Amino acid sequence: MRTGLFCGLATIVVAASATPAQAEQQTYNFELRTQDIGSALRAIASITKSQVIFDGDEVRGKRSRAVKGSYSTEDALDLALRGTGLVAQPTAQGVYVVKSSPKVPRAQGPQAARSQVQSADDYSNEIVVTAQKVTETTFDVPISISVKSQREIRNRNAETITDLQYTVPGLSISEFGPGQQRIQFRGVSSFSGLAQIGQYLDEIPLNTEAPDQGPDIRLVDIARVELLRGPQGTLYGQGAMGGTIRYITNDPELSAVSGSALGELSVVEGGEPAWRGEGVFNLPLVEDQLGLRVAGGYTSIAGWIDNPRTGEENLNGGSSYFVRGKLLARLGEDLIATLLASHQEIDTGGNNTADEDRQVYYAVPTPIKNRINLFSAVLDYDLGAVSLVSATSWQERNGSNVTDITDILAPTVELLQGLQPGTLNSYVFNGASSFRAFSQEVRAQYDSSTGLRALIGAFYRNSRSTSLVSGESDPVTAVPADYYFGDTEGTSESWAVFGDLTYELLSGLDLNLGGRYFEDKRTTNSATRIFGTPSLDQGADTFSAFTPKLNISYLVSDSLNLYATASKGFRSGGFNTTSVGGGTVVIPPSYDPDSVWTYELGAKYESFDRRLTGEVAVFRNVWSDIQSVATAPNGLNTYTVNGAKMAGNGIDAQLTYRPVPSLTLSLTGGWNNMEYKTTTVEHFAGDRADYAPRYSGSASAEYRFDLGDAPSFARLDYQFADGIQVWFRSFQAVPALSETQHLLNLNVGTEISGFSIQLFAKNILNEYGVTYPAFGSLPYPGRPIPRSFGAQVRASF
């Protein structure tokens, strides 16, 4: 037997005065806080004078639920072990043996515990998360959080986070197509500057220098998606102003070969067929020591937009494929190493933008391509009360696109060049971009048995981005080759130190303090030519910020958890192209960081049998020194300034109810009234936040039944959101508006002998309202994918 088992056996408390029957019937008073599982089991054994056996390796890296109140031995053990993947099973002799639940694969050390979730058959809605970089259940974590489990992702047939957006209170995503997303939480949204939402794949920071470059993570072999609302500047750094999204991938299993394969066919009404194939293969290379897990998929994206001008049909179709490998090695009883590598390619013929007839009239094709590579190496060393983590990552992204501006600029170019009207068949901007980023984080976590938890860490990131844009005409001889050319390179070297401390002041009352200091040294080098006139813009500056957090949580009972939080989020500053002033106006060479303070009160509830769970949070955001758009005197170029202020209140809520074991009902909703409090050239006081809906929500019902001997389910999902507004008063006379969205989806599935069959209908109402308004240089608004139907088959082994 392993050393860990002997350690567990050494903690047995033998009951000399209580028989097994008495232990089952008798209740005891408990006042146990959240703590490591081993300590909690010892305490329960001592209080109840029962025999409890556990394996030290099984419980390492996991935390118990708090147990407060009067319970029997079995109920106390069940409550303490919720969400850990462990169960306490009594023997005929009355001894309680703690082991992995048959519904959850055995965790392989602390790193595996962090990504462990319940299986597709488990509907208890109790999920372990690492939102605060420690392992906790969703009920215990004292922040506003939504978690999308692997089971929910599959039963909703969600391919990306966009398919789930309105089911998450306060979340909305403006998407033109795969890899082009603008994400916001709780109304914290603006056009200028860096992204306002942090995104991670495991330990890899995904944000680039462009706020609308979404990672387009395919939800294949994803253990869960954690969506944290409110500023997360302390633990997740710059860019996490409105919240953070974390994609947690499944770890390799070290004891069994397993895998799955999926095939799907679908058709978009009025468009073309689509299909996708996905596969997962898990291979233990050395049993209990080394394992490999590979996931991949190819999606043929259906097009449904035509271009009568060029004769293209279904031009926004394309393809997306990825492959991801993950290697996990146990280098000792306490040291886990995890390596991850991912490659993704996305090619489409155009954006999901069109008129009400699903048409565009561009003069030329407008293809979009993206290539994304991600790498990470994580070391997790568990020393008992102290654990150490080192996370190293590398990201590279290359993209290209063609933007047709023939109808916007060709007449002007012909006039300025003295050409006859109609000389130019087309005038386009050819764009190419690249992004490279190396990051390193180290952190140490301390968890005592006296109510004290602490986390300290340091972070470093070095990134380089380039952007090349050239204007090209047909015929090429009609316009000088350098009529427009732009070449920009930027670098960022940042570092941060952070800490987080939690102390139990009284029984059930925890005080949490956190803080992060950040510095970012940035440079820019931009060369442009317009009408053959060159200009050069260079800059270098260092930006810094400090983001504190204060949280107080009170576990009123095993069913009710209350918390209050004041936290700050921020994003770094940047540079302007000063030459756009044309010498007639002074353009500030750089702009400073901006920051958001959020003040929040929240409550979480779950009944003892977990049939009813709910969460509600009320908050107020105060956003200062907002990075805003100003327009140069030529009316064509823009730059960024600080100074605006925005504020507003809001509420998030989510509720799940299981009136009977076979039926799950869910409701979510979010509302905010974020608006500008100052008047600038870009916005007037009272203007709404751009890109942010006032309210959104969802409702769903899932019914599970047996079709003969085959486990089956039927699920109906409804999502809604009101329209967004985009209004830059410096060059818009009236606001650009989108329309209210009503999306209804249906999924029905069954399992037969290792195979699952799922039928689905998406956007049943055939919603085709504007999701992103046309304004500025965007001639056509964004549209949702029309109604589609399909079927998929999954085989598992």
Side-chain angles (χ1 to χ4, degrees):
M1 303 179 75
R2 291 177 299 169
T3 303
L5 179 57
F6 284 113
C7 294
L9 290 172
T11 67
I12 299 175
V13 178
V14 180
S17 59
T19 67
Q22 289 173 328
E24 290 178 3
Q25 297 174 358
Q26 186 174 351
T27 60
Y28 304 87
N29 291 322
F30 297 89
E31 284 293 332
L32 302 181
R33 63 178 180 82
T34 297
Q35 56 190 294
D36 67 273
I37 290 291
S39 298
L41 294 175
R42 296 184 190 100
I44 293 173
S46 176
I47 293 171
T48 62
K49 296 183 172 59
S50 300
Q51 299 181 20
V52 180
I53 300 176
F54 60 90
D55 184 335
D57 282 345
E58 291 257 305
V59 304
R60 184 175 289 114
K62 301 180 182 180
R63 292 182 61 79
S64 73
R65 289 288 303 273
V67 183
K68 298 179 184 294
S70 181
Y71 298 103
S72 67
T73 305
E74 286 195 9
D75 285 345
L77 288 169
D78 175 69
L79 182 59
L81 296 174
R82 281 189 189 177
T84 65
L86 301 172
V87 293
Q89 296 182 343
T91 67
Q93 292 74 33
V95 177
Y96 293 94
V97 180
V98 177
K99 58 185 180 180
S100 295
S101 167
K103 293 181 178 180
V104 183
R106 182 183 182 276
Q108 304 296 333
Q111 183 66 18
R114 286 174 170 79
S115 65
Q116 196 171 42
V117 298
Q118 293 166 317
S119 71
D121 296 328
D122 193 349
Y123 289 85
S124 65
N125 202 38
E126 188 79 346
I127 300 176
V128 172
V129 298
T130 52
Q132 299 189 112
K133 299 195 176 181
V134 295
T135 305
E136 302 170 287
T137 65
T138 54
F139 176 79
D140 289 323
V141 61
I143 62 175
S144 184
I145 181 173
S146 294
V147 181
K148 300 302 176 182
S149 68
Q150 182 171 267
R151 176 193 64 81
E152 182 177 355
I153 290 170
R154 287 181 178 178
N155 288 3
R156 286 183 181 270
N157 194 23
E159 297 183 51
T160 68
I161 191 64
T162 305
D163 296 324
L164 302 169
Q165 59 175 310
Y166 301 134
T167 70
V168 179
L171 174 68
S172 69
I173 302 172
S174 298
E175 183 178 68
F176 291 155
Q180 301 178 83
Q181 303 165 328
R182 183 180 289 273
I183 304 176
Q184 69 83 32
F185 263 125
R186 290 179 164 182
V188 178
S189 175
S190 75
F191 177 80
S192 300
L194 300 171
Q196 295 109 53
I197 303 298
Q199 297 189 72
Y200 288 76
L201 178 69
D202 291 342
E203 295 279 357
I204 305 174
L206 297 176
N207 283 5
T208 69
E209 296 295 290
D212 55 357
Q213 282 189 351
D216 194 54
I217 298 298
R218 314 304 288 187
L219 301 181
V220 180
D221 202 37
I222 297 293
R224 65 186 182 276
V225 183
E226 300 176 5
L227 302 108
L228 290 59
R229 287 178 287 275
Q232 307 297 325
T234 297
L235 292 180
Y236 294 100
Q238 77 100 355
M241 301 177 69
T244 295
I245 299 175
R246 305 180 67 232
Y247 301 91
I248 310 298
T249 63
N250 283 314
D251 277 340
E253 299 172 18
L254 302 184
S255 59
V257 176
S258 62
S260 65
L262 175 145
E264 178 183 291
L265 292 173
S266 63
V267 61
V268 173
E269 188 171 300
E272 63 183 344
W275 64 273
R276 65 177 171 131
E278 298 171 356
V280 178
F281 182 63
N282 185 90
L283 178 65
L285 301 174
V286 179
E287 187 172 0
D288 290 332
Q289 290 185 316
L290 182 67
L292 174 67
R293 192 176 186 93
V294 179
Y298 181 93
T299 301
S300 175
I301 303 169
W304 41 272
I305 295 173
D306 299 334
N307 186 346
R309 189 169 175 179
T310 62
E312 294 175 279
E313 295 183 349
N314 305 317
L315 64 88
N316 59 323
S319 64
S320 172
Y321 81 84
F322 84 97
V323 60
R324 181 177 68 237
K326 195 170 186 180
L327 185 73
L328 186 147
R330 292 177 64 104
L331 304 178
E333 288 295 320
D334 304 311
L335 180 61
I336 303 294
T338 307
L339 304 177
L340 182 146
S342 172
H343 174 74
Q344 184 178 23
E345 297 190 8
I346 309 168
D347 295 314
T348 60
N351 289 319
N352 294 344
T353 57
D355 62 20
E356 59 185 11
D357 297 320
R358 305 187 189 182
Q359 294 180 336
V360 295
Y361 290 86
Y362 293 127
V364 296
T366 55
I368 303 166
K369 297 181 179 181
N370 283 290
R371 305 289 184 265
I372 305 169
N373 292 317
L374 304 170
F375 305 92
S376 71
V378 179
L379 292 175
D380 195 322
Y381 193 21
D382 192 333
L383 300 174
V386 177
S387 63
L388 306 175
V389 175
S390 169
T392 308
S393 71
W394 171 259
Q395 175 187 180
E396 57 183 38
R397 177 172 179 146
N398 298 299
S400 65
N401 67 286
V402 176
T403 302
D404 179 70
I405 53 174
T406 304
D407 295 337
I408 299 173
L409 284 185
T412 302
V413 172
E414 290 169 340
L415 178 63
L416 295 175
Q417 296 296 318
L419 303 173
Q420 290 293 324
T423 299
L424 295 183
N425 299 319
S426 67
Y427 190 78
V428 302
F429 280 167
N430 283 324
S433 63
S434 69
F435 178 76
R436 306 284 187 272
F438 166 83
S439 68
Q440 173 67 53
E441 179 170 302
V442 292
R443 58 181 184 267
Q445 175 191 335
Y446 172 72
D447 191 346
S448 73
S449 58
T450 60
L452 175 66
R453 282 193 296 161
L455 185 150
I456 59 172
F459 177 82
Y460 173 81
R461 192 184 201 199
N462 194 322
S463 70
R464 175 178 177 270
S465 59
T466 64
S467 175
L468 181 66
V469 180
S470 61
E472 296 186 8
S473 65
D474 177 29
V476 295
T477 57
V479 180
D482 59 356
Y483 177 75
Y484 182 85
F485 177 84
D487 186 0
T488 301
E489 177 181 315
T491 65
S492 168
E493 185 176 22
S494 64
W495 62 270
V497 291
F498 58 93
D500 194 78
L501 177 71
T502 301
Y503 183 70
E504 187 177 38
L505 299 173
L506 299 170
S507 178
L509 181 63
D510 286 348
L511 173 66
N512 173 257
L513 298 173
R516 186 184 194 101
Y517 178 77
F518 166 89
E519 278 196 8
D520 185 11
K521 182 179 180 180
R522 288 179 168 264
T523 67
T524 185
N525 191 330
S526 177
T528 60
R529 292 196 305 271
I530 300 178
F531 288 115
T533 302
S535 62
L536 180 65
D537 293 278
Q538 296 178 318
D541 208 340
T542 299
F543 308 100
S544 62
F546 176 69
T547 52
K549 179 186 70 171
L550 169 65
N551 176 279
I552 298 176
S553 60
Y554 179 46
L555 188 65
V556 179
S557 68
D558 297 323
S559 296
L560 182 62
N561 193 0
L562 305 177
Y563 67 89
T565 303
S567 58
K568 184 181 181 181
F570 76 104
R571 58 179 172 169
S572 190
F575 301 97
N576 289 311
T577 304
T578 58
S579 61
V580 301
T584 61
V585 65
V586 177
I587 304 297
S590 64
Y591 51 92
D592 294 326
D594 54 1
S595 61
V596 172
W597 271 100
T598 294
Y599 309 93
E600 179 175 342
L601 295 174
K604 299 186 177 188
Y605 174 82
E606 66 174 24
S607 60
F608 185 78
D609 57 7
R610 282 170 282 176
R611 291 175 59 186
L612 178 64
T613 62
E615 176 180 328
V616 63
V618 294
F619 61 88
R620 177 169 181 79
N621 295 326
V622 180
W623 191 354
S624 303
D625 294 323
I626 299 175
Q627 297 169 4
S628 303
V629 173
T631 303
N634 60 18
L636 298 176
N637 299 95
T638 60
Y639 56 95
T640 302
V641 296
N642 296 96
K645 181 177 181 179
M646 203 186 317
N649 304 318
I651 184 170
D652 300 323
Q654 49 193 12
L655 180 72
T656 299
Y657 178 52
R658 284 172 288 277
V660 294
S662 60
L663 179 63
T664 302
L665 305 174
S666 298
L667 290 172
T668 70
W671 169 84
N672 75 86
N673 67 347
M674 285 289 286
E675 62 181 29
Y676 283 85
K677 300 300 181 181
T678 57
T679 294
T680 65
V681 294
E682 180 191 52
H683 289 99
F684 289 177
D687 286 353
R688 289 173 50 183
D690 295 311
Y691 306 105
R694 287 284 196 193
Y695 55 85
S696 63
S698 71
S700 67
E702 180 172 316
Y703 181 65
R704 297 171 297 283
F705 58 95
D706 290 332
L707 189 63
D709 294 330
S712 307
F713 78 94
R715 182 181 183 103
L716 188 66
D717 294 291
Y718 168 69
Q719 301 182 49
F720 74 93
D722 72 330
I724 65 171
Q725 171 181 295
V726 181
W727 195 357
F728 301 111
R729 290 178 177 268
S730 56
F731 57 87
Q732 286 175 263
V734 295
L737 303 172
S738 72
E739 299 173 87
T740 301
Q741 303 296 308
H742 298 277
L743 303 174
L744 186 66
N745 300 330
L746 174 66
N747 285 272
V748 179
T750 188
E751 297 182 18
I752 305 173
S753 301
F755 290 86
S756 65
I757 301 172
Q758 191 163 328
L759 306 177
F760 60 88
K762 295 185 177 181
N763 193 6
I764 296 173
L765 303 177
N766 206 24
E767 176 71 52
Y768 194 65
V770 173
T771 57
Y772 190 96
F775 71 97
S777 61
L778 183 68
Y780 301 101
R783 302 280 185 177
I785 299 174
R787 181 163 47 214
S788 59
F789 303 91
Q792 68 174 225
V793 177
R794 182 192 302 269
S796 302
F797 63 90

